[in-house]
Amino acid sequence: MKALFLVGGMGTRLRPLTNKIPKPMVPIMGKPLLERSILNLKNIGINEVVLSTCYRAQHIQKHFGDGQRFGMRIYHVREDIPLGTGGAIKNTEKYFDDTFLIFNSDILSDINLKELVEYHKKKAADVTIAVTQVDNPSMYGVIEYDENDYAVSFREKPQPEEVTSNFVNAGVYVFEPKVLKEIPGGRVVSVEREVFPKLLEKGYKIAVYKGCSYWIDIGTPEKYLQAHMDIMAGKCRISGLDFSDKGVYRGPGSSIHGSVKIQGPVYIGANVKIEENAIIGPNAIIGNNVHVGQGAKIIGSVIWDDVVVESGAKLVNTIVASNCRIKQGCEHYRTVYAEEDSRLMAI
Ligand code: GTP
C-alpha cells in the first residue's frame, strides 16, 4: 500500500512561522511534523510515499530526497502553481493503482491507520474519510452521515446556525483509485468542496471513520503551541517520548549549569547551552543549538533551532522561529516571533 501527503499549501494562517519553511516541515518536539508522520507509516508496513509539493518544495525535496535515509521510497510531484487539495491528488494519479491513503500534512493525531484501512474494506467504501469531533465545527468541513456511517452531505466552514453535526473532516482519507477519474485534471480543485460532493452525487460510497481520539491541526500558531502542550500533558503520544512523569529530555552535547532550575515536562535538543540561574519549564521545548543566557526564563514556549536567548530575557507561551536572537532583558508573552515578523497570539 502507498500513501500520499498533500504538502503544497501556503500555510498562510501559520505565518510568520511559514515565511521560510512549508507548514509540514515545522518541528514537533524538534523533528519536522512530516517526518514524524512518514515514519509512523513504517509501523504499518507502508514504505512508499508520494509527496505532492508546491510552496517551498525545495525545502521538502532537500530534507527527504528519495527517502533512502529513512528506509522508504519517496517520490516528489511538484506543482508549478497550487492545484488545490483535489487537483494535487489528481496530479499524482499515475502512482496509484490500488487502495491508498491520503493525508493533509498539518495533522497530529493518534489515528489507528491499520484499523482505518480495515474499516474501509469492511464498509466496501470507495472513499473513507476519518472524522473527529470538535467544539467549533464552523471552522472546519462538517460531514453529515447516515445510521450506517456513510456520508450524506458536506458543508465547508458552515455558519454556526447551519451546523448540524460536530464531526469534521480530519484530513485523512482512504481512496480507491477508480475515484481519481472523477477529479478534473489541469485545474484547481478542492477535494473537500468539489470532489466529495460530486462523488456522493454520482453514487460512490463514502464511509466515515470515527476512531480518532486525539486530533489537532497545527495550522495556526495557537494550535501549534497547543499541540506541544498536549504532548507534554500526555494527551498525544509521540514515538520515543513519554512525558507522563513530567519528564525532562536532554539531547546529546547539551551543557546546563548546575544552578539552572528545570521544571518538567521539558524537552531540550542537542548542543544546547544554558547558563547560570536560568529557569526552564514547565512546558518548555528547546530545539538544537540554542544558547540560553544567565537568568533567562522559558515557560510554556517552543524555541526552534539556532536561537539565542540573551541573559534576563523572558519567554512565556511564545514560539520563536529558527535563527532568532531575543535581546537581553526582553520579555515576550503569547508571541509568535520570527526574525522578520512577529505578532501576538490569540490565546
Ligand atoms: P492556509 O494557507 O493556512 O489555509 O494553509 P494551507 O495552504 O496548508 O491550506 P490547508 O490547511 O487547507 O491545506 C490542507 C493540506 O493540503 C495541507 O497539508 C496543505 O499542504 C495541502 N494543500 C493545500 N493546498 C494545496 C495545493 O494547492 N497543492 C498541494 N500539493 N497541497 C495543498
Side-chain angles (χ1 to χ4, degrees):
M1 190 171 192
K2 293 182 196 160
L4 167 64
F5 284 86
L6 302 175
V7 298
M10 306 278 286
T12 44
R13 290 165 301 145
L14 197 53
R15 283 186 190 152
L17 297 173
T18 44
N19 284 356
K20 290 187 178 158
I21 63 169
K23 181 165 63 171
M25 294 303 285
V26 299
I28 297 289
M29 294 292 168
K31 194 185 271 191
L33 172 59
L34 183 58
E35 185 178 330
R36 291 194 178 278
S37 306
I38 288 179
L39 291 177
N40 278 342
L41 293 181
K42 282 177 89 173
N43 301 334
I44 57 159
I46 296 181
N47 49 26
E48 268 188 279
V49 163
V50 179
L51 301 179
S52 160
T53 63
C54 187
Y55 177 68
R56 303 265 183 242
Q58 263 317 102
H59 197 103
I60 293 173
Q61 172 80 47
K62 195 169 159 215
H63 187 83
F64 291 100
D66 62 5
Q68 210 179 357
R69 139 176 121 86
F70 302 97
M72 316 269 296
R73 280 184 127 171
I74 297 182
Y75 310 99
H76 300 254
V77 179
R78 184 173 180 166
E79 292 152 35
D80 295 329
I81 53 148
L83 290 172
T85 46
I89 296 170
K90 179 71 176 179
N91 202 36
T92 59
E93 189 169 13
K94 70 168 189 192
Y95 289 91
F96 302 106
D97 53 11
D98 197 0
T99 311
F100 66 107
L101 280 160
I102 304 180
F103 298 90
N104 281 359
S105 306
D106 49 359
I107 302 303
L108 189 63
S109 89
D110 63 359
I111 188 167
N112 182 330
L113 296 172
K114 195 162 170 276
E115 198 181 280
L116 168 69
V117 174
E118 282 165 8
Y119 177 84
H120 171 82
K121 300 273 183 200
K122 195 179 88 193
K123 300 296 275 183
D126 299 308
V127 169
T128 297
I129 303 177
V131 295
T132 184
Q133 260 178 311
V134 294
D135 293 335
N136 181 6
S138 47
M139 289 163 61
Y140 299 94
V142 173
I143 301 182
E144 290 170 336
Y145 51 87
D146 66 16
E147 63 283 6
N148 296 315
D149 290 340
Y150 291 105
V152 293
S153 78
F154 297 91
R155 281 166 203 262
E156 261 320 289
K157 303 190 174 70
Q159 294 299 312
E161 63 277 11
E162 295 171 340
V163 170
T164 45
S165 153
N166 62 349
F167 277 98
V168 302
N169 180 342
V172 180
Y173 318 120
V174 189
F175 263 49
E176 290 303 319
K178 67 177 175 193
V179 302
L180 296 173
K181 68 175 189 301
E182 303 293 349
I183 308 177
R187 69 162 170 90
V188 178
V189 184
S190 156
V191 75
E192 303 87 351
R193 291 172 194 275
E194 193 175 336
V195 177
F196 291 149
K198 180 170 158 194
L199 291 178
L200 268 192
E201 226 177 83
K202 290 205 155 187
Y204 286 94
K205 279 208 288 196
I206 303 183
V208 299
Y209 172 78
K210 298 186 204 147
C212 291
S213 59
Y214 181 84
W215 180 89
I216 194 166
D217 82 286
I218 56 95
T220 63
E222 294 79 3
K223 297 226 221 84
Y224 173 76
L225 190 60
Q226 183 63 48
H228 282 86
M229 299 307 129
D230 289 349
I231 293 166
M232 294 213 137
K235 291 186 196 166
C236 174
R237 298 296 284 251
I238 285 285
S239 115
L241 296 172
D242 179 2
F243 290 100
S244 52
D245 256 347
K246 297 198 187 314
V248 175
Y249 281 84
R250 267 180 77 158
S254 59
S255 117
I256 300 175
H257 192 271
S259 62
V260 172
K261 282 200 196 110
I262 298 186
Q263 193 181 334
V266 161
Y267 174 90
I268 297 171
N271 304 318
V272 170
K273 182 167 188 196
I274 308 182
E275 309 226 44
E276 288 103 296
N277 300 318
I279 296 179
I280 308 294
N283 298 318
I285 295 100
I286 298 179
N288 301 318
N289 309 314
V290 172
H291 186 160
V292 181
Q294 286 179 22
K297 288 186 186 156
I298 301 177
I299 298 164
S301 296
V302 181
I303 314 298
W304 291 8
D305 295 345
D306 304 300
V307 167
V308 177
V309 181
E310 291 185 356
S311 57
K314 187 172 177 185
L315 300 171
V316 179
N317 299 345
T318 284
I319 306 164
V320 181
S322 297
N323 301 306
C324 286
R325 175 177 285 267
I326 306 293
K327 293 271 166 57
Q328 190 174 351
C330 281
E331 300 193 358
H332 293 286
Y333 300 86
R334 298 188 291 113
T335 303
V336 195
Y337 193 97
E339 270 176 299
E340 63 293 313
D341 196 358
S342 64
R343 66 176 168 93
L344 273 185
M345 277 188 271
I347 51 169

